[in-house]
Structure formats: structure tokens, C-alpha cells
Amino acid sequence: MFEVLMPAALSNPLVAQEVGAKLTLHKLWETPDADAALKELAPRIRGILAGAPGHRRVGGEFLGQFPNLEIVSSFGVGYDHIDAKWAAAHGVVVTNTPDVLNEEVADTAMGLLLSTLRQLPQAERYLRAGKWQQANFPLSDSLQGRTMGILGLGRIGKAIARRAEAFGVKIAYHGRSRQPDVPYPYYATVLEMAAAVDILMVIAPGGPSTKHLVDAAVLRALGPRGVLINVARGSLVDEDALVAALQKGEIMSAGLDVFAHEPQVPQALLDMDHVVLLPHVGSASHRTRDAMAHLVAENMLSYAAGKGPLTPVAETPWPRLEKAD
């Protein structure tokens, strides 16, 4: 029997419905004594359904409670909330939900960019406040003639690039290495790229290796006409440095869908009217979230059926390694 633990309710009920229809699913949050339930269930659990980043930390200490654990299926393309290195060392495969949200996040990124540059939310507030009757809304900046530097030219980064090119925007990129067959200029460091562009689009993975990759120096290099758009993880941007850069006019504006300590947003950002802030809605459409939920369930069901996971993460490629002693 393949028994699966769902430590907390996921935002999309399809995961529990699809997995629960074929496997034994334990919903930990429904038990009156979670600690007692964990102690009793731990030896039998072979799979865990994990929520999106920000849901709960799934570290080695938590995973280590399950001696027969084989797979963690996670909701979301980012998985920095899961200790994938621990999982790899202990023969546990981790899966995420790539590809199914690429287009939705890219759409959101471009919408956020246009909203930030053209001040569309501010213009709507202006109209709703009745101010149009007294005077026209002030002129905004423009997307035309700009160059976008993409930090993280992965699947979503490429989808953003295609959209930006359709708007006539020039593209450059930075990543761990130059990609073959990519026509855009490559910069070896974020700092060098920031100095060469006036839009910095952040869409790289989160985690310790990318923490504060966009720091005060990068923001200064972006310059006073510079616009920062972050649809990746709040951890990639030094939030204090960003606030300071916006307050000093070192960059023009920012459009943010993610923050360092979600759902908390710094009051200094909330007080600024020249930035656009969204509550982490990059992939938040019914269509895309249902597709993500289905992939979470299918990863678990495929593995339980002996067919292997569909989308294992890089740290835990299939076939999985033997468990460490």
C-alpha cells in the first residue's frame, strides 16, 4: 500500500481529490493531535504532498521523520522551500510543476512591466478619485526604446523575452553560463548587465545561492531611468537596498509580485505611489493552478504506479540514488 501525507491543505483541492482517489492519503491538518499522528504514520509514509513556497518549510529535519519516504511532490515551479540536497542524499525524489505555468507567469510579468512604466494602476485610482474632472493624469514613461535584461533565461525567461520582443524591446540576459543558440547578448555578471539595460526582469530560482543577487550596487548600475520587475522570489532582491534606491531616485520604479517575507510587505513600499505591488499572483489563474495541481497529483500517482516521476528536479534526477546510511 502506498501511503501519502499532506501536512497542510493545499490551495487547490484537485491534488487531494486525485491522489486520494487512488492512494491512501492522510490529511495531517484534519487530525486533532498532529504530533501523535505523525509518530504513528511516519514509518508508513512513502510520499509527501508539499505546498508552494511560503506554505511551510520542508527541511531535512521534517523529512527525516519518515524512514521510508521516497517522493515529495511539490506545488509550484520553485522549490527552495524544500531541502532538495537532503532529499538527494537520502534517495528521495523531489518533483515540481515546470512548464504548465510558463505562459501565465510571462503574461503577468509583461502586465506588471506595462503597469509600472505606464502607471496604469495609478491612473485608474486617479479616475476613481474623481481627479480627471479637474485635470488630466500626468504623462507616464514608455516601454518604447528600452532594453530588458533578464536575470534567469529559463523556460519562463524565454517566454517573457518572446513577449518583450513583440513590443520592440531589446533583450539581454545573465545566467550561470552562456546558452548556445540564444541570440541575445550575454553578460557574465548581473552588475555588468544592469549597467547595459534599463529594465531588469528577475525570473531566476530562489535559494541561498541567489539571495540578494540584486543588491545596492546592481540597482545603482541600473540607473535613474531603471525599472526593476521581480516575478521570481523576493529573496533575490535586497529589499532594504531596493527601498533606499527608490527613495533616493537611484532607480525610477519597481513592479513586484514577490517579497522577502510574504505576505508581509514593507510599509515603505506600500507608501510609495510610483511602484506597483501585486500579492504573488504570477500563476494565479484557474486554468494554470488546475494544471499545476494535476501535475502534482500525476507525479505522485506515476511514481506510486512504478512508472517514475514526471518532473523530478535537477538535484534528484530519476532513477533515484540509494538512500544514504
Side-chain angles (χ1 to χ4, degrees), residues 114-116 118-126 137 275-276:
L114 285 166
S115 294
T116 302
R118 297 300 315 279
Q119 296 185 316
L120 302 182
Q122 296 92 325
E124 192 208 22
R125 292 196 295 269
Y126 187 90
F137 185 75
V275 301
V276 178

Side-chain angles (χ1 to χ4, degrees), residues 28-219:
L28 187 62
W29 77 93
E30 292 184 350
T31 62
D33 189 338
D35 290 337
L38 270 181
K39 186 175 181 180
E40 191 270 326
L41 290 171
R44 310 202 311 262
I45 296 300
R46 296 171 65 187
I48 290 176
L49 295 168
H55 197 251
R56 73 167 293 165
R57 174 71 182 165
V58 186
E61 183 177 353
F62 177 76
L63 297 174
Q65 299 176 84
F66 308 98
N68 297 304
L69 181 64
E70 299 175 37
I71 180 172
V72 177
S73 183
S74 180
F75 189 99
V77 66
Y79 54 93
D80 44 301
H81 60 305
I82 298 172
D83 193 337
K85 290 184 178 179
W86 185 98
H90 292 81
V92 176
V93 66
V94 176
T95 66
N96 63 341
T97 60
D99 294 323
V100 294
L101 47 65
N102 296 355
E103 304 305 319
E104 206 74 72
V105 175
D107 286 348
T108 303
M110 289 304 297
L112 183 56
L113 174 59
L114 285 166
S115 294
T116 302
L117 278 170
R118 297 300 315 279
Q119 296 185 316
L120 302 182
Q122 296 92 325
E124 192 208 22
R125 292 196 295 269
Y126 187 90
L127 181 149
R128 288 181 180 275
K131 296 180 180 180
W132 191 18
Q133 299 173 35
Q134 283 76 50
N136 289 332
F137 185 75
L139 299 181
S140 71
D141 208 292
S142 174
L143 182 60
Q144 303 306 306
R146 284 183 170 267
T147 301
M148 177 189 293
I150 300 178
L151 173 52
L153 195 69
R155 297 180 182 93
I156 301 174
K158 289 183 173 71
I160 294 171
R162 291 195 301 271
R163 286 160 172 75
E165 283 189 296
F167 280 91
V169 175
K170 295 178 181 178
I171 305 296
Y173 76 101
H174 166 74
R176 287 187 293 269
S177 60
R178 185 190 301 271
Q179 298 186 34
D181 303 322
V182 169
Y184 315 127
Y186 171 75
Y187 289 88
T189 69
V190 187
L191 186 63
E192 291 174 330
M193 183 174 72
V197 303
D198 47 29
I199 299 169
L200 181 56
M201 176 68 70
V202 181
I203 188 60
S209 64
T210 58
K211 184 176 181 180
H212 291 182
L213 200 55
V214 178
D215 58 13
V218 169
L219 294 169

